[in-house]
Amino acid sequence: MWWDEIPHFDALLWPLMDVHRDGKMRYYAPEVRDTCVRDPTYGVLVREALDYMIVRRPTPQEWFDPTGIRFADERELGEYLRAFRDYVTGIRPEPIYLPAGDQLSRDAQP
């Protein structure tokens, strides 16, 4: 899978995938940011992994499979990932929060 190419991915499941599932972003994004600030080494790993994901440009379907979050296109997904990276690294005051009602269930057909 595309995420297998990300260094230290197994240690980064929480900030890279789990935070985005099932509307958890509102609750856990601040915790990810705080963890990255408290542990700068971890913060660098998270930033580098997000940078890789942004460059790698997973397709909306590739992103939906592990997270359940649906995007209209790669541009929208890239904007979301850049906003999350910028939030985690302290550049942006808030990530992009997706309204829970806008997301389809995993069982819904695209």
Side-chain angles (χ1 to χ4, degrees):
M1 302 307 274
W2 64 270
W3 54 79
D4 291 334
E5 301 167 13
I6 298 173
H8 314 290
F9 182 77
D10 290 341
L12 301 173
L13 281 173
W14 176 57
L16 300 183
M17 295 292 165
D18 295 344
V19 166
H20 307 279
R21 290 186 184 126
D22 304 322
K24 294 178 184 176
M25 176 78 120
R26 289 193 186 280
Y27 306 105
Y28 295 121
E31 195 173 330
V32 171
R33 184 178 185 163
D34 291 346
T35 301
C36 289
V37 168
R38 278 193 313 273
D39 183 350
T41 302
Y42 184 77
V44 167
L45 292 175
V46 171
R47 188 195 73 238
E48 287 176 351
L50 287 166
D51 285 344
Y52 176 83
M53 291 166 68
I54 291 164
V55 169
R56 164 58 171 76
R57 299 178 62 176
T59 66
Q61 186 59 43
E62 288 173 333
W63 182 255
F64 178 77
D65 287 341
T67 65
I69 302 296
R70 198 174 297 284
F71 287 92
D73 55 36
E74 288 180 20
R75 182 203 53 77
E76 186 180 66
L77 175 55
E79 180 181 330
Y80 174 82
L81 291 173
R82 282 188 300 279
F84 182 66
R85 181 213 43 215
D86 292 349
Y87 171 72
V88 167
T89 59
I91 296 170
R92 183 183 172 103
E94 293 288 326
I96 294 173
Y97 293 117
L98 302 173
D102 288 352
Q103 292 303 311
L104 300 173
S105 73
R106 287 182 164 278
D107 299 330
Q109 295 297 316

